[in-house]
Amino acid sequence: GENVEQHPSTLSVQEGDSAVIKCTYSDSASNYFPWYKQELGKGPQLIIDIRSNVGEKKDQRIAVTLNKTAKHFSLHITETQPEDSAVYFCAASSPNTGFQKLVFGTGTRLLVSP
Amino acid sequence: DGGITQSPKYLFRKEGQNVTLSCEQNLNHDAMYWYRQDPGQGLRLIYYSQIVNDFQKGDIAEGYSVSREKKESFPLTVTSAQKNPTAFYLCASSTQSGTSYNEQFFGPGTRLTVL
């Protein structure tokens, strides 16, 4: 089955710096890659997603890139702000099971210092 | 206000007791999911349901049971057979997926602690 690895597990940056989180996946049939942000004590919230027919997607300060050949995708946050501090999860979805099963990475704790 | 609600927020259980976690959604979603989250790990799928009166085991279903009698409700029972039940439990829902891409919306979670 699908396996998703995520790095780093912890990332500390200064306010205004960029942050990059990387994920790799194993199932070449995976075709949907969402990123979720989880604040302390809350459920994850989708912040951006990308389909396998697209190489890059951007939404204001957040961008995601996908390299299907290498089977990895990355989240880029520019001009980081203290409110970006949270745990970020990547996920991959394969339709092989007949429904959209999400397999999650282990999460990256991002700390943005003022 | 549309969304997913989970109750209770915190739950304490003695060993050997069954406990039921509530999940309700008013988003009119067909599909619902239960995940377990442990420190330093990603979310792992326990059970999912694509339609009323039907549900399937996920990757870690042992020691858990669910029901889906109504579209808006998907309760999870943690039984005494679950060896390590202390965890953060998340419920999610989405429009019917099939092989298409649909955002999963998550509830606020229930933190279960076994004493």
Side-chain angles (χ1 to χ4, degrees), chain B residues 9 32-33 55 61 64 72 88 92 101 111:
Chain B
K9 188 173 178 63
M32 297 188 74
Y33 315 80
F55 49 83
Y64 300 98
E72 58 270 22
F88 190 50
Y101 324 103
R111 186 165 300 281

Side-chain angles (χ1 to χ4, degrees), chain B residues 33-50:
Chain B
Y33 315 80
W34 273 106
Y35 293 90
R36 170 181 171 138
Q37 185 175 25
D38 294 283
Q41 297 192 35
L43 283 66
R44 293 182 289 167
L45 184 64
I46 304 172
Y47 267 96
Y48 66 96
S49 169
Q50 293 182 272

